[in-house]
Amino acid sequence: MVEVLKTALGPLGLGHPVINASGTFDLLEADEVLRADLMAEFPFAAYVPKTVTMEPRAGNDPPRLFETAAGLLNSIGLANRGIEAFIDEDLPRLAALPVPLIASIAGERTDDYGRCALLLDECDRVDAVELNISCPNVELGGMALGCDPYKTRQATEYARESTSRFLIVKLTPNVTDITSLARAAVEGGADCISVINTVHGMALDPLRLKPALGHVTGGLSGPAIKPVALRAIYMISREVDVPVIGMGGATTAQDVLEFLAAGASVVAIGTASFRDPLLAARLAGELRVLMEQRGFGSVRELIGHAHKE
Amino acid sequence: MGAPGRAEAAYSACRVIESRPVGAYRLVSFIAREMAAGARPGQFLMVRRSGPALDPLLPRPMSIHDVESDLVKVLIDPVGKGTLNLAAAGVGDQFNVLGPLGNGFNLEGDGPALLAGGGIGAAPLAYLARQLMDRGREVTCLLGFRSRAQAIAAELFRGVDVHVSTEDGSVGRQGLVSELLSGCIAGLGPGARQAELFACGPDAMLRAVSATALECGVRSQVSVDTHMACGVGACQGCVVETVQGYRRACSEGPVFAAADLKW
Ligand SMILES: Cc1cc2nc3c(=O)[nH]c(=O)nc-3n(C[C@H](O)[C@H](O)[C@H](O)COP(=O)(O)O)c2cc1C
Ligand code: FES
């Protein structure tokens, strides 16, 4: 990758600043279906698999998806095969992946984050751990946990005690003051904040006029939420001293440029990959062109540009 | 079901070379050589109009209606913003297409094949009928539609033994396709036990036809229609409930043995 795009996230060296958002790109599944050799030519600078939990989860009742104006509502409910299957079956298949791997974990209680982080600490393939304390589609833990600064701090502390890996905490925008949660995570030992998870929302079936999702409410993603994400990135990067991973609606190289300028060190692409599975492979190159046009010689120079006098 | 996905799906920009109304539906053909070569009946494509417009945002799953040399054809029922947008495509427009995806129907048996389509669920049956007939299977195709405007799609099944029903009786027999099916199975006599049902349509129709088939000892494969985002098994968004738990319609379906579905 070209020199101007090279960057880092803590100890992780990255070829460019674009990674995938958890739950929206599955390398192992895509590699089985697509003709392209994704393992060799992985388009993202790091790989974030779907969030896993201690126990397998079946997920929520279907329908789980509904498209809204320039957005997507989902209520997947953290369907996953559990952390054991992830460690025993998925990680060995990812050995040859040429980029850093950021494992995403969630729990129902704060100490679940410690238990999951401890298991991952044994795995050489795992370069960093992201705590998903912000899924809006699970009742018990996730959401409620990520809305409470005390529990946010506690979950982060449990994970911090269990792993020396680079520790990322992913926050929900569905709160009154997102910066207080970012501060709580950093106080708990987070090395990095990632924002935003999906925005609480709902849709009605246009004909039946009943909830379109089986779970009734869901999380909104895609271009519709970009301004919400941009604000969260801007506010948090001004407030805390750790790097920020920005996500929420980024779809074009211009969006990536803006998220970096707002203070993100890395930008994650979620829903936009559904729209265009090869988007990631183009974004880095397009970003380089935009940076040249605007006179930015490095990603570092661009990060936080919007904050500068 | 069919052979599991073997790293065969391509993603490419495809030019529309024909777009014409077929009653209430629209038949759109585009050039997609690789996809045409690999497509099996019952597989689908994720299709989106090329361009930067953010609404509709995502591609829509479209059954492969038919394949002709390097052309792939889809039949569109313009019911929502995504399908309306696709149906509005004219000759020369471009689609972004990912596919072929999904398992497709299992064509391996050798008994009589009964095909049942409900509304736009007729779409994948044309290619299926041809491929089954090429394999020497006896094919009877039963198509149920709301009214005449939809039933015109029966003309897309040239050379196939087609029977049509409409809810309002405007074309063919008045009633539901499940009623056509009962009559058809009765006509097979003792041969019915070797028969196999292949169905595609709304859930209620699939439930009705597979229940009718089951009563007569006829096995069924049904293709389900769900909302999708990724199309490749990544997002867990398209699941249906089966006796083994939730299964993804895009990567583990869209064709399931009716006996496995919980509905
Ligand atoms: C279908 C779907 C599944 C998701 N699953 C997860 C998940 O398992 N873990 C997680 O941290 N975020 C999950 N997310 C949230 C995304 O990672 C991302 O934060 C959010 O979608 C905003 O980014 P986007 O607008 O680019 O999609 C999911 C989002 C979608 C649309
Ligand atoms: S549409 Fe994503 S898993 Fe099926």
Side-chain angles (χ1 to χ4, degrees):
Chain A
M1 202 28 85
V2 253
E3 206 57 32
V4 282
L5 292 178
K6 282 216 174 109
T7 188
L9 187 63
L12 315 182
L14 305 180
H16 59 79
V18 182
I19 69 173
N20 73 292
S22 178
T24 61
F25 190 92
D26 189 315
L27 170 56
L28 296 174
E29 294 290 348
D31 208 39
E32 283 201 356
V33 175
L34 297 176
R35 220 174 280 226
D37 186 356
L38 287 174
M39 197 67 82
E41 290 160 52
F42 193 65
F44 296 102
Y47 176 47
V48 191
K50 178 154 183 78
T51 301
V52 292
T53 49
M54 281 305 285
E55 303 300 329
R57 290 177 56 91
N60 290 327
D61 285 347
R64 294 176 175 180
L65 297 170
F66 191 82
E67 186 176 317
T68 60
L72 172 68
L73 268 177
N74 89 79
S75 60
I76 309 296
L78 289 184
N80 78 95
R81 295 183 303 131
I83 194 164
E84 251 174 64
F86 174 70
I87 291 174
D88 297 342
E89 294 163 33
D90 294 355
L91 285 182
R93 294 172 64 196
L94 293 165
L97 181 69
V99 300
L101 187 141
I102 301 172
S104 170
I105 55 178
E108 297 188 344
R109 299 155 16 140
T110 52
D111 57 358
D112 288 338
Y113 289 87
R115 290 157 67 208
C116 284
L118 192 62
L119 292 174
L120 292 172
D121 200 52
E122 303 285 307
C123 306
D124 291 339
R125 177 60 269 205
V126 173
D127 299 289
V129 176
E130 180 171 81
L131 311 184
N132 174 5
I133 57 166
S134 46
C135 179
N137 295 317
V138 290
E139 257 68 56
L140 276 171
M143 184 62 174
L145 204 149
C147 290
D148 177 344
Y150 175 77
K151 286 187 180 158
T152 293
R153 181 181 168 149
Q154 196 174 51
T156 312
E157 281 170 352
Y158 279 126
R160 179 77 291 167
E161 286 161 15
S162 312
T163 184
S164 52
R165 296 293 199 288
F166 189 69
L167 188 63
I168 305 162
V169 177
K170 181 166 175 177
L171 302 179
T172 172
N174 305 316
V175 292
T176 311
D177 177 16
I178 197 167
T179 54
S180 66
L181 291 147
R183 253 184 276 114
V186 172
E187 282 161 16
D191 297 314
C192 176
I193 299 294
S194 94
V195 278
I196 55 178
N197 209 316
T198 54
V199 179
H200 247 172
M202 123 172 225
L204 296 186
D205 177 281
L207 293 178
R208 294 182 304 114
L209 301 180
K210 295 281 162 55
L213 296 174
H215 189 63
V216 181
T217 65
L220 184 63
S221 62
I225 68 169
K226 181 191 154 190
V228 181
L230 196 71
R231 172 186 180 272
I233 296 162
Y234 186 86
M235 305 280 284
I236 291 170
S237 61
R238 203 171 54 177
E239 188 72 21
V240 299
D241 285 332
V242 300
V244 172
I245 302 175
M247 71 190 88
T251 306
T252 63
Q254 175 68 27
D255 295 335
V256 175
L257 191 77
E258 291 180 18
F259 279 18
L260 293 169
S265 293
V266 164
V267 177
I269 304 295
T271 301
S273 289
F274 299 148
R275 177 180 155 75
D276 182 349
L278 287 189
L279 175 69
R282 286 201 317 271
L283 273 182
E286 291 180 8
L287 175 66
R288 183 175 53 86
V289 173
L290 288 184
M291 285 171 60
E292 267 168 25
Q293 282 176 357
R294 311 286 212 289
F296 290 102
S298 70
V299 173
R300 179 192 297 263
E301 215 180 289
L302 173 56
I303 296 170
H305 179 79
H307 297 283
K308 294 171 190 160
E309 291 287 293
Chain B
M1 294 295 101
R6 267 165 296 133
E8 58 186 9
Y11 178 63
S12 45
C14 301
R15 192 156 298 280
V16 171
I17 64 139
E18 187 193 18
S19 172
R20 67 173 172 95
V22 177
Y25 304 137
R26 196 150 189 108
L27 182 70
V28 179
S29 313
F30 46 86
I31 304 172
R33 186 173 307 123
E34 287 175 298
M35 296 173 202
R40 297 191 305 271
Q43 287 192 298
F44 68 97
L45 309 165
M46 293 296 281
V47 187
R48 174 171 79 80
R49 288 272 287 280
S50 305
L54 295 177
D55 199 58
L57 183 65
L58 301 180
R60 292 295 186 274
M62 287 279 141
S63 284
I64 294 170
H65 166 62
D66 210 348
V67 171
E68 206 181 288
S69 65
D70 58 356
L71 287 188
V72 173
K73 303 181 180 195
V74 295
L75 190 65
I76 305 168
D77 184 12
V79 285
K81 69 177 180 185
T83 43
L84 264 168
N85 182 254
L86 290 176
V91 172
D93 283 351
Q94 205 169 276
F95 284 166
N96 282 31
V97 184
L98 174 67
L101 300 168
N103 56 359
F105 290 103
N106 183 343
L107 311 189
E108 267 153 28
D110 52 14
L114 307 174
L115 279 48
I120 191 64
L125 303 184
Y127 187 39
L128 174 66
R130 263 223 334 273
Q131 295 256 316
L132 286 168
M133 283 156 62
D134 285 351
R135 288 164 174 254
R137 303 245 330 236
E138 185 190 317
V139 172
T140 308
C141 192
L142 314 171
L143 303 176
F145 297 102
R146 205 174 320 135
S147 185
R148 177 177 298 276
Q150 290 77 26
I152 291 173
E155 76 182 29
L156 297 168
F157 289 74
R158 234 168 286 142
V160 183
D161 178 22
V162 174
H163 305 259
V164 172
S165 67
T166 50
E167 286 170 37
D168 63 3
S170 54
V171 182
R173 186 185 146 143
Q174 182 180 0
L176 299 174
V177 69
S178 49
E179 298 159 26
L180 277 183
L181 179 66
S182 320
C184 180
I185 295 178
L188 289 173
R193 295 219 161 259
Q194 270 72 53
E196 192 177 4
L197 175 70
F198 301 79
C200 184
D203 280 356
M205 171 265 177
L206 293 178
R207 268 196 299 270
V209 292
S210 56
T212 302
L214 187 66
E215 279 167 27
C216 309
V218 174
R219 287 164 299 143
S220 310
Q221 305 180 27
V222 301
S223 175
V224 299
D225 179 10
T226 67
H227 288 241
M228 293 185 185
C230 70
V232 298
C235 74
Q236 307 282 343
C238 61
V239 299
V240 293
E241 196 172 5
T242 73
V243 291
Q244 297 99 16
Y246 289 128
R247 288 291 176 268
R248 292 159 297 183
C250 68
S251 57
E252 298 168 278
V255 179
F256 294 92
D260 286 347
L261 288 172
K262 269 175 108 172
W263 50 12

